Amino acid sequence: GSMIMCGFRGTELPPGDPFLDLVAKGHVGHVILFDRDVETKRSRNIVSRKQVQALVQTLKNAAHRPMLIAVDQEGGRVCRLKKTLGFQDLPSPKTMGRGSLEKTELLGRRTGEDMRMVGLNTDFAPTVDVMHGSSSVMGRQERSFSADAAQCAEHAWAFGKGLMAARVIPTLKHFPGLGCATDDTHFLRADTRTCFAKDRDLFPYVYAFRHGWAGMVMVSHVHSPFDATYPASLSSAVIHTLLRQKLGWQGVVISDDLQMGAISKFYSLKEAVLLAVQAGTDILLFGNNLNWQPDMAEKAFQTLTELVQTGQISEERIRASYTRIQTLLQTFSDETQPYERTE
């Protein structure tokens, strides 16, 4: 269960709620919150600071172990915690990248403090995709700090450093890089095999690791030059060989949402879980928003359990991920210090 992160519907979880029961049973180790529901176009998990704080506390009370409670708070158009809902305004990564590193770090810290004050402990940011032009997905959406690899790396590190100072777990994404992708993995296969530049696109990860990155790394569903068959999130060549062996990352690896079209249209749930775990993924992310399935969390848990019971995934492999996840949680576990906004 600690290898599963899942989304759910609702701004509160009353006693007896099926999803809350799965959290209590340990079948769902971590959760992701969204402000909007893709299918209903209505509010999903976030409507106010007070409501989020109560929802998070409900989840923590139900769980037997510390859990990651995550949002995508990149800035700009990707902000689940919006100013209109009582949270701090956060400019886009492109805007931050044009300013000073000190300002970017301060914004990261303020974001982290804002999150911690309502109990959230994980941010799926910063995005370290190096923009290859305005026609790329990251360029169109202003989700990249810069087209310059060094500038992108420095601002991403600064934002992550600010989050870590507030004891919020940051996440480098989307490994090995979506900077030149023109298709969106939410809906389609994206391919960077002809435009990927290793020295450029991998540089922000090398930079962060050298500076002591203590968060996570999220792996994308992009088809990269490192594997002719599988997308990065299902590729041992990308996760085990490139990320862990060549770049030396020994921390937690989380997949991008496995319900995105780039995966769900081409692989069954069992295939995706098996390949992702075999490749070295520690946390399997199911946003359960793009394609709402009431039993998604339990299906994911049962699928992973059956793969272990049938010997397709070893118990040692599960323990390795569990150990990395617990180490991460312990690193950011201090819940005693009060959080106040940075002026």
Side-chain angles (χ1 to χ4, degrees), residues 88 106 109-110 113 340-343:
Q88 297 190 64
L106 178 61
R109 179 154 189 160
R110 284 177 174 173
E113 291 167 344
E340 298 178 355
R341 295 181 188 273
T342 298
E343 298 300 329

Side-chain angles (χ1 to χ4, degrees), residues 32 34 61 109 133 236 315 319 338:
I32 179 172
F34 293 95
N61 290 343
R109 179 154 189 160
S236 179
E315 291 185 17
R319 290 194 188 100

Side-chain angles (χ1 to χ4, degrees), residues 5-190:
M5 175 181 283
C6 196
F8 60 95
R9 278 179 172 168
T11 56
E12 59 181 18
L13 293 170
D17 181 272
F19 186 84
L20 193 63
D21 287 344
L22 292 179
V23 171
K25 289 195 294 185
H27 290 198
V28 177
H30 320 283
V31 300
I32 179 172
L33 306 184
F34 293 95
D35 57 331
R36 303 296 292 176
D37 191 285
V38 171
E39 293 185 358
T40 68
K41 311 300 182 185
R42 299 176 181 174
S43 297
R44 184 175 170 97
N45 307 126
I46 302 168
V47 294
S48 72
R49 296 182 64 89
K50 184 177 180 181
Q51 170 268 324
V52 172
Q53 190 171 25
L55 179 61
V56 169
Q57 194 58 54
T58 297
L59 287 162
K60 289 181 177 180
N61 290 343
H64 296 285
R65 297 183 178 89
M67 65 192 313
L68 303 178
I69 304 179
V71 292
D72 291 283
Q73 193 71 0
E74 299 175 14
R77 65 181 295 167
V78 184
C79 276
R80 311 307 183 200
L81 308 174
K82 292 180 168 56
K83 186 177 181 179
T84 54
L85 301 179
F87 296 91
Q88 297 190 64
D89 192 27
L90 184 62
S92 71
K94 181 179 180 180
T95 299
M96 285 188 269
R98 291 171 172 172
S100 70
L101 293 174
E102 292 76 15
K103 181 65 178 296
T104 297
E105 182 177 344
L106 178 61
L107 287 168
R109 179 154 189 160
R110 284 177 174 173
T111 297
E113 291 167 344
D114 215 22
M115 291 176 63
R116 272 292 197 171
M117 288 177 74
V118 295
L120 300 167
N121 64 3
T122 303
D123 190 1
F124 289 147
T127 297
V128 292
D129 301 305
V130 182
M131 186 171 62
H132 283 236
S134 58
S135 63
S136 68
V137 174
M138 294 296 127
R140 295 195 303 267
Q141 299 177 355
E142 297 191 0
R143 296 176 66 190
S144 173
F145 285 102
S146 177
D148 179 88
Q151 190 172 347
C152 183
E154 290 168 354
H155 278 275
W157 168 253
F159 190 81
K161 185 179 179 182
L163 289 171
M164 288 187 283
R167 295 195 304 286
V168 166
I169 299 168
T171 310
L172 294 174
K173 66 182 189 183
H174 308 79
F175 190 82
L178 279 175
C180 69
T182 55
D183 290 321
D184 191 334
T185 55
H186 285 83
F187 314 105
L188 304 166
R189 275 180 166 163

Side-chain angles (χ1 to χ4, degrees), residues 237-252:
V238 171
I239 299 174
H240 177 72
T241 304
L242 176 62
L243 180 56
R244 295 211 186 277
Q245 292 190 332
K246 292 185 179 180
L247 299 186
W249 177 244
Q250 298 305 314
V252 171

